Amino acid sequence: MYDLIVKGGTVVDPSQNLRGISDIAIENGKIAKIATDIPGEQSKRVVEVKGKVVTPGLIDIHTHVYSGVTDNGVDPDIGGIRAGVTTMVDAGSSGCDTFAGFPAHIIPNTATEIIVFLHICRTGLATNPDIFSPESINLDKTIETIKDSNGVITGVKARMVSPALEIMGIEMPKMAKRAAVEAGVPLMVHIGDTLKRYDPNVIRELLPILDKGDIVTHYFTGNPGGVLDNDGKLVPEAKEAHDRGVWLDTAHGRMNFTFDVAEKVLDQGVLPHCISTDLTVPGRQITVHSMTEMMTRFLAMGFTFDQVVTMSTENPAKAVGVNDRLGTLAVGKQADISVLEIKDGNWMVYDILGDGKKSDKAVIPIMAIKRGEVFEAGWGPRPWGWEPDLSLIHI
């Protein structure tokens, strides 16, 4: 007897080249069977999802969910299981001095799975600016905290922003890389100086530091220190990093995603691997409403739905080292599933500059299933719910 059957949806799992109407049976928190018309009487519970799209559980690889500790931390379940997302990576909200609250208070009290990347700054984002002197980094304690976290911390985060760069220069990300190497985890680096004060050519010094498995986030930033030079050309180090296995993540955020940069990068043929939100409380109120809206942005840019699913499931699972159980609907893997609606309409999505793109399809969250437990999506962040703006409003 199965615990749950997700019945009648269109299963889209690029990791297995699956696309078609199928049922998914779940037992003991794992995928037990995928087939057409599994009899409902073989399960304790049946969830009907006819007309909806069923994908591996969405993984948001760049979020900030240290709610109550940092002033921009989103309640994990609001941006997670109640938004159709089963796993969220907190990208450096905590540092070695402030991490303890995650395993004590955040992770035990959320249904969404939280994976933590530790900020190289000892206080994480509890201070603003994060790094304001060399003493803001305690390398030994950072390494020790990662090793003592029992696998909760799976990466290091560094931010290529002022005043950290003005104070420490390229030595700051080099210290973060050393911490990552000694702790045996990848490094995620925020590119794009939001204060616009540091030499934009720093990107050419940074990228050679990164190895296979490291992550560049804010790939489409328009701020100084991004991957385009002054002539709009992709710096050669970006393609070199891509070719040696560095993951490229787009992380929208409040200040780090423009369609203009995206189009120039895409025209030069070095595509990103991952879609993410850089979700924060102020960002969710202004520009970053949900992971599914980020997916809609990529449909508007011409990506196929299968590409968008891969960038939201399989690739992020690989990037953060959980692809042994997540990012796929393969039998035997953890039963993390997102149920989505692909809604036709005249939608408008925007970048951080307010530039818009029209899309005839929008991705809407309906349900998240985490380890076999069902969570219906909550009400969306706008007065009318999850749907993006109608483009007709802006004509």
Side-chain angles (χ1 to χ4, degrees), residues 15 78 98 101 139 153 186 219 261 313 324 340 395:
S15 76
I78 289 177
T98 59
L139 191 61
I153 302 170
Y219 186 47
V261 170
T313 59
D324 59 330
L340 312 170
I395 293 177

Side-chain angles (χ1 to χ4, degrees), residues 371-393:
R371 297 186 180 91
E373 187 175 356
V374 176
F375 301 90
E376 294 185 4
W379 189 256
R382 298 181 178 83
W384 58 88
W386 288 106
E387 298 173 3
D389 292 336
L390 285 168
S391 62
L392 296 177
I393 294 174

Side-chain angles (χ1 to χ4, degrees), residues 286-334:
I286 303 168
T287 60
V288 183
H289 300 109
S290 67
M291 184 66 175
T292 51
E293 186 169 332
M294 297 305 103
M295 297 168 76
T296 302
R297 278 175 168 83
F298 278 77
L299 293 178
M301 286 191 288
F303 286 80
T304 68
F305 184 69
D306 280 31
Q307 285 177 306
V308 167
V309 172
T310 296
M311 297 164 74
S312 307
T313 59
E314 181 182 8
N315 283 355
K318 291 177 178 177
V320 297
V322 293
N323 55 304
D324 59 330
R325 59 187 178 86
L326 302 181
T328 179
L329 296 175
V331 171
K333 300 300 184 182
Q334 187 168 304

Side-chain angles (χ1 to χ4, degrees), residues 95-136:
C96 60
D97 287 355
T98 59
F99 164 72
F102 258 117
H105 304 294
I106 302 297
I107 293 173
N109 295 303
T110 179
T112 309
E113 183 171 345
I114 306 300
I115 295 169
V116 177
F117 272 50
L118 193 71
H119 202 314
I120 191 60
C121 171
R122 59 195 299 173
T123 53
L125 298 181
T127 52
N128 185 19
D130 43 12
I131 294 174
F132 51 84
S133 79
E135 286 69 41
S136 297

Side-chain angles (χ1 to χ4, degrees), residues 40-75:
E41 57 267 23
Q42 294 183 6
S43 180
K44 298 172 186 176
R45 181 181 180 186
V46 175
V47 175
E48 297 282 353
V49 294
K50 183 179 180 180
K52 303 300 187 287
V53 174
V54 180
T55 72
L58 301 181
I59 301 171
D60 192 344
I61 199 176
H62 186 151
T63 69
H64 294 284
V65 293
Y66 211 0
S67 177
V69 179
T70 62
D71 60 5
N72 64 1
V74 175
D75 181 307

Side-chain angles (χ1 to χ4, degrees), residues 58-389:
L58 301 181
I59 301 171
D60 192 344
I61 199 176
H62 186 151
T63 69
H64 294 284
V65 293
Y66 211 0
S67 177
V69 179
T70 62
D71 60 5
N72 64 1
V74 175
D75 181 307
D77 286 345
I78 289 177
I81 49 127
R82 298 301 179 184
V85 175
T86 57
T87 303
M88 305 174 85
V89 178
D90 185 276
S93 298
S94 66
C96 60
D97 287 355
T98 59
F99 164 72
F102 258 117
H105 304 294
I106 302 297
I107 293 173
N109 295 303
T110 179
T112 309
E113 183 171 345
I114 306 300
I115 295 169
V116 177
F117 272 50
L118 193 71
H119 202 314
I120 191 60
C121 171
R122 59 195 299 173
T123 53
L125 298 181
T127 52
N128 185 19
D130 43 12
I131 294 174
F132 51 84
S133 79
E135 286 69 41
S136 297
I137 296 176
N138 184 330
L139 191 61
D140 291 339
K141 187 177 180 183
T142 296
I143 296 166
E144 179 184 0
T145 300
I146 297 169
K147 290 182 175 180
D148 290 346
S149 73
N150 295 317
V152 174
I153 302 170
T154 62
V156 175
K157 173 73 178 297
R159 299 176 70 241
M160 300 292 286
V161 298
S162 300
L165 291 173
E166 296 166 302
I167 295 166
M168 301 183 69
I170 200 68
E171 184 61 24
M172 183 271 293
K174 285 183 176 179
M175 291 182 72
K177 179 60 178 175
R178 178 181 166 190
V181 169
E182 294 195 21
V185 296
L187 172 64
M188 176 189 286
V189 183
H190 162 127
I191 61 171
D193 185 3
T194 51
L195 294 181
K196 301 179 172 61
R197 297 202 309 233
Y198 200 71
D199 182 359
N201 289 317
V202 68
I203 190 71
R204 304 193 69 174
E205 295 182 79
L206 167 70
L207 292 175
I209 297 172
L210 305 181
D211 296 316
K212 180 179 180 179
D214 290 334
I215 304 167
V216 169
T217 191
H218 299 311
Y219 186 47
F220 292 159
T221 182
N223 289 311
V227 295
L228 297 181
D229 64 19
N230 291 334
D231 297 320
K233 300 297 183 183
L234 194 69
V235 296
E237 292 83 358
K239 186 176 188 306
E240 291 166 3
H242 174 278
D243 291 348
R244 68 174 175 271
V246 174
W247 297 97
L248 305 176
D249 169 50
T250 55
H252 191 288
R254 285 174 285 169
M255 295 177 280
N256 282 292
F257 183 109
T258 70
F259 286 132
D260 177 61
V261 170
E263 289 170 1
K264 289 176 180 175
V265 171
L266 296 175
D267 285 345
Q268 294 172 69
V270 183
L271 274 61
H273 301 102
C274 302
I275 294 171
S276 67
T277 60
D278 188 11
L279 196 66
T280 61
V281 169
R284 195 168 191 263
Q285 295 170 341
I286 303 168
T287 60
V288 183
H289 300 109
S290 67
M291 184 66 175
T292 51
E293 186 169 332
M294 297 305 103
M295 297 168 76
T296 302
R297 278 175 168 83
F298 278 77
L299 293 178
M301 286 191 288
F303 286 80
T304 68
F305 184 69
D306 280 31
Q307 285 177 306
V308 167
V309 172
T310 296
M311 297 164 74
S312 307
T313 59
E314 181 182 8
N315 283 355
K318 291 177 178 177
V320 297
V322 293
N323 55 304
D324 59 330
R325 59 187 178 86
L326 302 181
T328 179
L329 296 175
V331 171
K333 300 300 184 182
Q334 187 168 304
D336 281 23
I337 298 170
S338 294
V339 180
L340 312 170
E341 181 178 2
I342 311 303
K343 194 164 185 178
D344 294 331
N346 294 311
W347 312 112
M348 183 69 81
V349 289
Y350 299 92
D351 65 11
I352 61 100
L353 299 176
D355 292 335
K357 276 189 177 294
K358 292 182 180 180
S359 177
D360 60 4
K361 296 187 183 300
V363 184
I364 309 295
I366 301 298
M367 181 186 300
I369 298 172
K370 184 69 185 179
R371 297 186 180 91
E373 187 175 356
V374 176
F375 301 90
E376 294 185 4
W379 189 256
R382 298 181 178 83
W384 58 88
W386 288 106
E387 298 173 3
D389 292 336

